[in-house]
Amino acid sequence: MTGRVPATARRGLLYAAATGMVAALTAPDARAAGHREAARPHPATPWTTSWATAQTAPTADDPLAAAGLTDGLYTTRLRLSAGGQVRLRYAHAFGTAPVLVGPVTADGRPVTFAGQPQGWLAAGATLTSDPVEGLRVPDGSLLTVETRLPGPTGPLSFHRNTHAWHTVDGVRTRSVLLLTGVETTGARGPVVAVLGDSIAEGSGTPDDADLRWPDQLARRLPGSAVANLGISGNRLLLDSAPYGPGGQARFDRDVLSLPGLRTVLVHLGVNDLFHVPAERDPSRMVAAYRQLALRARSAGLRVVGSTITPFEGWPRWTPEQDAVRRRVNEAVRTGRIFDAVTDVDAALRDPDRPSRLLPEYASGDGLHPGPAGHTAIAAAVEQRHLR
């Protein structure tokens, strides 16, 4: 007898010892259970975007944003949708260098970034503030944000025309620099992003009147959070320097990045019909809508489509373009592309001349609805189609 333990027995003893050690280390006792309970993360605060704007890169025709700021102060007055606690989001989608942001105030209260009065906004990235201490706002409130940019910043990503007045070092501008969102915690209705063009942006409505149809939709549905991602001149298919990446190209950044989003409403297409090069193939536009719908559903969103409004009277309108528009609209209505459809064409067209806007809904340029037309669009969006 040598006293040696067979190999199979040794493996069994080692396995039993290891199992016992693991069991001892993982056995629940009161202290360990209490530790696990304390470490369990708290439910996330339900932040949603109460005000938003989509960015483009500045061009030579945008001297303020193209030059950037050095120790500049810009003040923005923003109409919110849902209320609650407040935090801010800055972005530099088209930047090439980081920008130092701050100090910042919201309705006179200091805004911090990870507890600090300033934060670095990386090129191509976003910067979200802490919740603004002591600030809670009601639905539909007007929020004043003051942002200091020590600079020199270089060219700034911006939104060209919000159809509202702001100031940069005391000089009035309709543009908003870097700020892309105000997020709140009080949404208790639909949470919607509008991926749109100049009609969603507010063209045809007076400045500072808050009569853009997304604003009117938010007022119609108290407690809803509505993010207006309209860009004047924006297209569904193609990019352009002044009007930014097309809807397909900007969808992930502008739409899918929004916290708590539940529904996206696609209100794009009219600019594809007359901007050069003009789209003459309805099937290409329909295919693009299908791709947007697929991407939205893959992200767990409900997707609502919109028909294209008539625009006879616009200088570049032609009967051929109107024929393409009607074919696209028919596909949107009947092709089961979207989860639901808002028929803006039917809501705004003149029944006696369907290629043009009803006169009482028109702004006078043939393309953009006036305030009454924006009211009609907001009324055409059915609450049952949103979530």
Side-chain angles (χ1 to χ4, degrees):
M1 299 287 296
T2 63
R4 295 183 61 187
V5 180
T8 53
R10 287 200 304 274
R11 285 196 294 271
L13 291 170
L14 289 171
Y15 176 79
T19 302
M21 185 178 295
V22 170
L25 290 173
T26 59
D29 57 38
R31 187 167 59 181
H35 175 73
R36 284 196 299 274
E37 184 66 28
R40 185 177 299 158
H42 295 290
T45 304
W47 293 99
T48 59
T49 301
S50 180
W51 173 91
T53 194
Q55 293 184 331
T56 60
T59 68
D61 294 326
D62 306 301
L64 175 65
L69 301 179
T70 299
D71 195 28
L73 177 68
Y74 73 91
T75 302
T76 55
R77 300 180 75 239
L78 314 169
R79 180 66 66 185
L80 306 184
S81 49
Q85 292 179 275
V86 171
R87 70 183 185 187
L88 310 180
R89 181 164 73 158
Y90 294 83
H92 202 6
F94 302 94
T96 57
V99 173
L100 184 62
V101 176
V104 177
T105 63
D107 276 359
R109 296 179 181 272
V111 177
T112 59
F113 305 89
Q116 301 302 310
Q118 295 177 304
W120 281 101
L121 171 58
T126 61
L127 173 68
T128 300
S129 79
D130 304 323
V132 182
E133 188 173 351
L135 181 61
R136 292 189 69 92
V137 296
D139 294 348
S141 59
L142 194 63
L143 183 74
T144 299
V145 177
E146 292 187 337
T147 303
R148 176 73 65 180
L149 296 178
T153 63
L156 294 170
S157 306
F158 81 132
H159 186 94
R160 184 173 289 109
N161 186 358
T162 62
H163 299 279
W165 286 102
H166 320 282
T167 61
V168 176
D169 292 331
V171 178
R172 296 212 314 162
T173 177
R174 293 183 180 90
S175 299
V176 169
L177 311 172
L178 298 183
L179 184 64
T180 58
V182 177
E183 298 168 1
T184 61
T185 58
R188 58 193 183 279
V191 181
V192 184
V194 178
L195 183 70
D197 49 35
S198 58
I199 296 176
E201 186 191 63
S203 293
T205 66
D207 292 338
D208 290 324
D210 300 318
L211 292 175
R212 315 164 193 88
W213 74 258
D215 293 322
Q216 298 198 51
L217 177 65
R219 287 195 291 274
R220 215 190 92 210
L221 305 175
S224 61
V226 180
N228 186 343
L229 305 176
I231 299 176
S232 181
N234 200 234
R235 301 175 66 154
L236 175 66
L237 292 169
L238 299 181
D239 306 345
S240 71
Y243 308 129
Q248 292 189 103
R250 67 186 180 99
F251 185 81
D252 290 14
R253 180 184 65 243
D254 289 353
V255 176
L256 298 187
S257 65
L258 300 182
L261 186 64
R262 299 173 200 154
T263 302
V264 56
L265 196 157
V266 179
H267 187 52
L268 283 171
V270 69
N271 291 309
D272 295 74
L273 301 177
F274 61 81
H275 279 190
V276 178
E279 183 54 59
R280 294 289 181 264
D281 184 353
S283 67
R284 284 172 50 86
M285 296 182 67
V286 171
Y289 288 141
R290 290 190 187 281
Q291 283 297 308
L292 290 181
L294 175 63
R295 289 156 69 186
R297 292 188 190 108
S298 296
L301 302 179
R302 183 171 178 80
V303 57
V304 179
S306 169
T307 51
I308 301 172
T309 52
F311 62 102
E312 182 181 358
W314 184 249
R316 283 176 276 177
W317 180 88
T318 67
E320 292 75 21
Q321 292 165 355
D322 196 61
V324 176
R325 181 186 70 87
R326 285 186 279 108
R327 289 177 62 188
V328 171
N329 283 351
E330 185 62 19
V332 169
R333 292 186 185 104
T334 64
R336 298 186 179 181
I337 301 167
F338 301 105
D339 298 321
V341 173
T342 297
D343 199 340
V344 180
D345 172 42
L348 298 189
R349 70 190 177 207
D350 185 341
D352 296 327
R353 192 164 181 173
S355 57
R356 72 178 181 186
L357 296 170
L358 196 67
E360 54 262 44
Y361 288 160
S363 68
D365 65 9
L367 174 62
H368 300 103
H374 281 258
T375 302
I377 297 175
V381 181
E382 298 185 50
Q383 183 173 1
R384 66 189 178 92
H385 292 162
L386 309 177
R387 67 182 183 189

